[in-house]
Amino acid sequence: MRIGMRLLLGYFLIVAIAAWFVLSIFLQEVKPGVRRATEGTLIDTATLLAEFAKADMLAGNAHNGQLAQAFSRLNQHNFRANISGITKSKNEYHVYLTDAKGIVLFDSSGNATGQDYSRWNDVWLTLHGKYGARSTPINANNPESTVMYVAAPVREEQNIIGVLSVGKPNSAMEPVIRRSERRILWAGVALLGIALLIGFGFVLWINRSIGKLVRYADSVTTEHPLPLPKPASSELRRLAMALESMRVKLEGKNGIEQYVHALTHELKSPMAAIRGAAEILREGPPPAVVEKFSANILQQNLRMQQLVDNLLRQAKLESRIEITTQTINLPALFSTLCDSREVVARGKQIALSIDENIPTGVSVEGDAALLEQSIGNLLDNALDFTPPGGEIVLSVEQRIGQTTILVSDTGSGIPDYAQGRLFERFYSLPRSNGQKSSGLGLAFVQEVARLHRGTIILENRPEGGAQARLVLPGK
C-alpha cells in the first residue's frame, strides 16, 4: 500500500473512531435529555394546577370544578401548531386529582374517577411528602406506550389534602427525539465527509511533494536531471537537500573519471602541437619559422589554459546545491552583454540587438553573475556560428509562472547528428575558422538553469538559424 493511502486510512480511522464515540454519547443522551426536560415541565405544570385544584377540593366540587371545566373546554378546542417541523394538534396531558386517601376525584380522560390510586408511586410518594413520579406502560406488550407522570401535593396550610398528577405519553416526545437523532447522524456523516476530503487533500499534497522528489531522484541518472524541488514542508526540504547532496557526491565520483578521460583527450592535441613545434625550434630554423611556431606554442598554451579554467569553473558550479537570488533587470543585463561583445560582432559584421518590445521593468529572480555568464555563453555560440551579415537578437517572453530569455540568430543552425549531444561536456561543433571550443559552455548553461529550477532548450528556427530558450521560473 502506498504511503499516501496509509496516511489517509490512518487519519480516517482516527476521525471515524472519535466521531463514533462522540455520536454514540450524543445519541445516548438525546432520549434521557428530552425526557428530563419534559419531566421538569410536568412538575411545573402539576404544581401550578394543584393551586387551582385546591379551591375545587375545598368547595367539595372537584369532579365538576374550575379545573374539570377547563379541561372539558380544552378537549373541545382544536388547534394546530408547527413546532420546528413537528405538527401538534391536540392536548397530550393526562391529569387526575386524588384525595388524601388516593381515591381519584377527577380524571381528564374520564376513565379513572373513583378508582384507588394510592399505590401508584406518584400518588403514594407525594402523600408521604416525597417527590412523586412514575412511568407506566399503557400496553404491557408495548414498551414504547409508557406515560410519564409527575405529581404535586394539594395543600391546605401544612396538610396534604390531595394529589394532582400530570402525565404525558413518551410517544409524544418521539418525533423530537427522532429528529434530534437524525440531525446528529447527518452532522456525523457530514463530519466524516469533510474529514475525508481534508485527509484526501492532505494526502494529495504529500504525494505531490514526494512525487517531485521521486522524479528528481529518477532523473539523476539521466543526461538532463531535473532542477532541485523546494517542498513546503521542512522535513521534505531536508530530504530534498539530502538527495541533492547524494547526487553531487555520486556525480562527483563518476565525474572525476569522466573529467580525467575527457581532459586527457582534449589535452592530447595541444600538447602534440607544442611538442612538434618545440622539436622544430631545436633544429634552429630561420627567424620566420621560429616566429610562426612560437606563436603556435603560445596559442596552444592559451587553449590549454582556457580549457583548465573552464573545467574548474564547471566543476565548481556542479558542486553547488543552492544559489542566492536577487532581482535582475533583464534589459539592463542585455545592454551590458551587448556592449561587451559589440567589438567582436562589428568585426564579424553581425548585427547584435535587443528586442524593442521588451518592457523596461521586466525582471527575474536569480544569481546575477551566473545568469550573465550563461547568457554570455549563448551569445558567444551565436557569434561563432552566424556568418557575416547575419543578425542576433535578445528577447524575452513572459507567461504566468515563467520568464523565457531567447537568443536568436540567423546562422547555420544545429545539425541533426548533434541534436542529442549539445549539452555533453567537451562536445563541440567546428567553427567557421576551423577551431573547436572547450565544449563546456552549454554544459555550464545547463547547470545554471538547473540551479535556477529552469530549463535550457536549443532548437532550429523555421526561418533559418538557431534559437536558445533559457526558461526561468517567474511571477
Side-chain angles (χ1 to χ4, degrees):
M1 185 182 293
R2 298 180 62 180
I3 186 171
M5 291 303 299
R6 292 181 181 180
L7 288 173
L8 179 60
L9 181 59
Y11 169 78
F12 186 73
L13 284 176
I14 292 173
V15 174
I17 292 172
W20 179 78
F21 274 111
V22 174
L23 288 175
S24 63
I25 292 173
F26 269 99
L27 291 176
Q28 290 171 9
E29 288 295 320
V30 167
K31 185 177 291 186
V34 171
R35 290 185 175 178
R36 281 193 294 268
T38 304
E39 186 175 349
T41 304
L42 290 177
I43 185 60
D44 291 339
T45 304
T47 304
L48 178 63
L49 294 180
E51 293 299 321
F52 289 97
K54 175 182 176 181
D56 292 342
M57 292 186 69
L58 292 177
N61 192 24
H63 65 282
N64 195 29
Q66 292 183 355
L67 183 65
Q69 293 177 14
F71 270 92
S72 177
R73 290 192 298 269
L74 178 64
N75 291 332
Q76 296 175 3
H77 178 67
N78 294 324
F79 64 91
R80 189 174 187 85
N82 190 322
I83 306 172
S84 300
I86 299 175
T87 302
K88 181 178 176 66
S89 59
K90 64 179 180 178
N91 172 44
E92 294 164 337
Y93 278 153
H94 178 210
V95 178
Y96 57 82
L97 174 66
T98 73
D99 59 16
K101 296 180 180 180
I103 303 300
V104 177
L105 302 177
F106 163 73
D107 179 16
S108 62
S109 66
N111 298 324
T113 304
Q115 295 184 17
D116 184 2
Y117 272 24
S118 61
R119 293 186 177 277
W120 289 112
N121 278 344
D122 55 336
V123 176
W124 188 87
L125 290 171
T126 304
L127 289 175
H128 288 78
K130 299 178 181 180
Y131 172 63
R134 66 182 171 95
S135 184
T136 305
I138 298 175
N139 184 350
N141 297 323
N142 184 8
E144 299 298 326
S145 65
T146 56
V147 179
M148 183 190 305
Y149 289 95
V150 177
V154 180
R155 297 178 182 273
E156 182 184 10
E157 296 181 355
Q158 299 300 322
N159 299 320
I160 298 177
I161 62 174
V163 174
L164 188 136
S165 186
V166 180
K168 186 172 185 177
N170 286 323
S171 59
M173 295 172 273
E174 281 301 313
V176 178
I177 294 172
R178 286 198 300 270
R179 186 187 63 178
S180 300
E181 290 177 344
R182 189 163 54 248
R183 288 187 174 182
I184 291 174
L185 287 174
W186 275 113
V189 172
L191 172 64
L192 290 178
I194 293 172
L196 185 60
L197 288 176
I198 294 174
F200 188 68
F202 176 75
V203 168
L204 284 181
W205 175 68
I206 290 290
N207 281 344
R208 183 182 178 188
S209 299
I210 294 177
K212 288 181 179 179
L213 294 178
V214 170
R215 288 191 294 273
Y216 168 74
D218 289 339
S219 71
V220 167
T221 57
T222 64
E223 295 182 1
H224 305 292
L226 295 174
L228 177 66
K230 290 187 177 180
S233 170
S234 58
E235 291 81 3
L236 292 177
R237 194 155 49 242
R238 288 202 302 270
L239 178 59
M241 296 300 295
L243 287 174
E244 177 68 0
S245 178
M246 180 182 67
R247 182 195 71 83
V248 171
K249 291 181 180 179
L250 289 175
E251 287 189 352
K253 292 180 180 179
N254 297 329
I256 291 174
E257 183 178 356
Q258 295 176 6
Y259 275 128
V260 170
H261 286 299
L263 184 60
T264 302
H265 176 75
E266 293 296 322
L267 290 178
K268 281 182 180 180
S269 178
M271 290 177 66
I274 291 174
R275 180 176 180 180
E279 290 177 352
I280 293 175
L281 291 176
R282 288 182 62 183
E283 297 176 358
V289 177
V290 171
E291 183 178 356
K292 174 183 177 181
F293 283 98
S294 296
N296 189 27
I297 290 175
L298 292 175
Q299 182 183 6
Q300 296 301 324
N301 180 69
L302 178 61
R303 179 183 172 186
M304 288 192 297
Q305 183 65 43
Q306 290 176 343
L307 179 63
V308 172
D309 290 343
N310 290 336
L311 192 60
L312 290 174
R313 184 183 63 181
Q314 180 74 14
K316 183 179 180 181
L317 180 66
E318 291 180 357
S319 65
R320 293 181 65 172
I321 298 178
E322 288 187 331
I323 57 174
T324 302
T325 61
Q326 64 186 82
T327 302
I328 304 168
N329 184 272
L330 290 179
L333 177 61
F334 290 170
S335 180
T336 301
L337 290 169
C338 289
D339 290 344
S340 64
R341 288 160 177 78
E342 180 64 28
V343 175
V344 176
R346 189 175 300 173
K348 294 185 176 182
Q349 300 178 5
I350 297 173
L352 181 57
S353 62
I354 302 173
D355 186 3
E356 296 178 353
N357 297 322
I358 299 178
T360 55
V362 63
S363 61
V364 293
E365 296 293 323
D367 187 297
L370 291 180
L371 285 180
E372 181 178 357
Q373 200 166 355
S374 60
I375 299 173
N377 286 351
L378 297 176
L379 274 176
D380 292 338
N381 272 355
L383 288 169
D384 286 343
F385 289 98
T386 302
E391 182 183 11
I392 300 174
V393 180
L394 285 169
S395 58
V396 175
E397 289 181 356
Q398 279 192 306
R399 295 181 181 176
I400 298 177
Q402 70 178 31
T403 300
T404 303
I405 299 171
L406 297 94
V407 180
S408 307
D409 62 53
T410 57
S412 57
I414 305 168
D416 293 339
Y417 64 85
Q419 290 282 352
R421 303 188 60 189
L422 291 174
F423 297 101
E424 290 182 11
R425 286 189 290 262
F426 305 110
Y427 182 79
S428 176
L429 293 172
R431 269 59 174 171
S432 57
N433 57 9
Q435 295 182 354
K436 291 180 63 178
S437 68
S438 64
L440 294 173
L442 291 180
F444 181 88
V445 176
Q446 186 181 48
E447 282 298 313
V448 171
R450 181 186 64 81
L451 286 173
H452 285 79
R453 295 182 292 115
T455 56
I456 175 66
I457 303 170
L458 259 66
E459 57 190 5
N460 288 322
R461 301 171 64 197
E463 62 270 26
Q467 185 180 74
R469 302 171 62 88
L470 180 57
V471 183
L472 301 175
K475 299 178 182 179

